[in-house]
């Protein structure tokens, strides 16, 4: 399967680090995505957690090593990987991992501003996150992005502390602390080039993981189920991050494939591991 995208979308993705693909997933692909999402909710990994803050439930889980059989059909048969290949202009795509979010039951806190790349040992232009919502999300309640911020700097990650969105996960000085974007926006002390997109089921937002982004809160009575699929291409490189374990973790005890990488890859190596299946070209899947 191949996907034709308007040339302006590829240009926008390279410049801004984010695009919204309208109607990216047809009804069959959306059904596969929801089936995979439901599997994740029913089979939580050791990384699953519920964030504090607000009266509602804000749940997330990611990189479940047992998830691939449940996600294989979605990743290999839907056009998701074709879309990112078209944005990169490359035929080679690997699947990195899935992430699920659930906000429901009452008010939930805003997802703090952060960059996924701060948590991930990967870098390069050919890395992408595809964000899929199973509910209609108005623009004012959707993800927000700082356009062009994928070009740096790379900030320390947020530990999602309800008392301080900028509280770092590493705190060793190797990465600058996150700016308080919400405070600066409220005070109008700094202008941030923020963009967001309202979405319908079937739409997909694709963004670079080094892009600063955050999510609006949800209010009582609202429900938001979202699935993120993460992909990388041939140009992606392994990158060491602060606090990363330097020793190899045995296959049978690792809860995430990322725990296997420090003993195998060095910074600058091509980002490859059998735990990350190649899904395009389709003959490689």
């Amino acid at each position: 399967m191949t996907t034709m995208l308007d040339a302006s979308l590829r240009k926008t993705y390279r410049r801004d680090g984010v695009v919204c693909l309208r109607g990216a997933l047809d009804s069959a692909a959306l059904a596969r995505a929801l089936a995979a999402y439901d599997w994740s909710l029913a089979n939580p990994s050791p990384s699953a957690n519920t964030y504090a803050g607000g009266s509602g439930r804000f749940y997330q889980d990611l990189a479940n090593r047992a998830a691939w059989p449940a996600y294989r059909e979605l990743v290999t048969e839907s056009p998701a990987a074709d879309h990112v290949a078209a944005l990169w202009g490359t035929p080679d795509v690997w699947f990195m991992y899935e992430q699920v979010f659930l906000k429901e039951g009452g008010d939930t806190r805003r997802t703090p501003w952060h960059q996924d790349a701060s948590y991930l040992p990967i870098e390069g232009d050919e890395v992408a996150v595809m964000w899929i919502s199973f509910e209609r999300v108005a623009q004012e309640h959707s993800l927000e992005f700082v356009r062009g911020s994928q070009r740096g700097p790379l900030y320390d990650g947020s530990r999602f502390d309800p008392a301080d969105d900028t509280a770092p996960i590493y705190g060793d000085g190797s990465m600058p602390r996150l700016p308080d974007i919400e405070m600066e926006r409220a005070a109008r002390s700094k202008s941030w080039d923020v963009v967001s997109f309202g979405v319908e089921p079937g739409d997909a937002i694709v963004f670079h993981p080094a892009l600063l982004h955050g999510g609006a809160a949800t209010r009582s009575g609202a429900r938001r189920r979202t699935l993120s699929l993460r992909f990388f291409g041939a140009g992606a490189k392994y990158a060491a991050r602060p606090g990363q374990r330097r020793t190899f973790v045995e296959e049978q005890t690792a809860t995430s494939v990322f725990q296997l990488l420090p003993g195998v890859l060095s910074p600058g190596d091509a980002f490859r591991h059998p735990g990350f299946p190649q899904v395009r070209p389709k003959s490689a899947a």
Side-chain angles (χ1 to χ4, degrees):
M1 180 182 295
T2 58
T3 297
M4 298 298 294
L5 293 180
D6 187 294
S8 65
L9 282 172
R10 187 183 298 175
K11 181 178 180 181
T12 299
Y13 184 74
R14 289 178 177 173
R15 182 191 67 218
D16 295 349
V18 61
V19 292
C20 183
L21 305 180
R22 302 296 180 187
L25 302 179
D26 61 17
S27 59
L30 197 60
R32 289 185 180 118
L34 183 55
Y37 175 91
D38 287 342
W39 182 94
S40 288
L41 291 190
N43 298 274
S45 80
S47 300
N49 68 295
T50 300
Y51 293 116
S55 60
R57 183 188 185 199
F58 180 2
Y59 172 88
Q60 75 88 32
D61 194 9
L62 76 164
N64 188 335
R65 288 196 68 205
W68 176 239
Y71 279 80
R72 182 193 304 272
E73 186 176 11
L74 167 64
V75 174
T76 60
E77 300 301 324
S78 83
D82 300 294
H83 290 314
V84 297
L87 287 171
W88 296 332
T90 177
D92 299 307
V93 181
W94 286 260
F95 179 63
M96 188 158 43
Y97 68 93
E98 83 300 334
Q99 186 169 17
V100 298
F101 299 89
L102 174 62
K103 292 185 176 184
E104 65 176 358
D107 294 348
T108 64
R109 63 168 300 181
R110 177 186 176 87
T111 303
W113 287 95
H114 65 286
Q115 296 155 297
D116 292 350
S118 301
Y119 310 85
L120 300 175
I122 191 171
E123 62 187 9
D125 293 336
E126 294 172 15
V127 192
V129 182
M130 177 174 283
W131 186 85
I132 301 161
S133 175
F134 299 108
E135 279 77 39
R136 180 183 180 273
V137 181
Q139 183 175 3
E140 62 269 24
H141 298 141
S142 190
L143 286 184
E144 294 184 308
F145 305 89
V146 176
R147 283 188 280 212
S149 57
Q150 78 278 10
R151 294 188 291 272
L154 185 62
Y155 295 99
D156 204 329
S158 169
R159 63 172 179 253
F160 285 41
D161 184 337
D164 181 1
D165 284 351
T166 71
I169 58 170
Y170 304 124
D172 62 357
S174 62
M175 304 167 101
R177 187 169 177 143
L178 280 161
D180 194 334
I181 294 176
E182 285 305 288
M183 182 187 71
E184 293 174 358
R185 291 170 80 187
R188 298 187 178 182
S189 59
K190 181 173 179 177
S191 178
W192 292 92
D193 185 10
V194 173
V195 64
S196 62
F197 309 90
V199 295
E200 301 282 348
D203 295 342
I205 297 174
V206 182
F207 63 95
H208 192 284
L211 197 70
L212 279 164
H213 64 285
T218 56
R219 300 305 175 207
S220 183
R223 185 189 194 202
R224 195 166 83 191
R225 298 168 297 165
T226 55
L227 168 64
S228 288
L229 304 174
R230 286 167 169 80
F231 300 94
F232 63 91
K237 304 293 184 184
Y238 180 74
R241 298 293 183 228
Q244 186 178 48
R245 293 189 64 172
R246 303 299 178 188
T247 57
F248 183 80
V249 177
E250 291 297 333
E251 176 82 19
Q252 61 268 28
T253 60
T255 59
S256 166
V257 72
F258 292 105
Q259 292 177 308
L260 302 175
L261 300 180
V264 177
L265 299 178
S266 298
D269 285 351
F271 194 84
R272 302 286 188 279
H273 188 277
F276 301 121
Q278 186 172 3
V279 295
R280 291 295 184 274
K282 198 168 180 181
S283 58

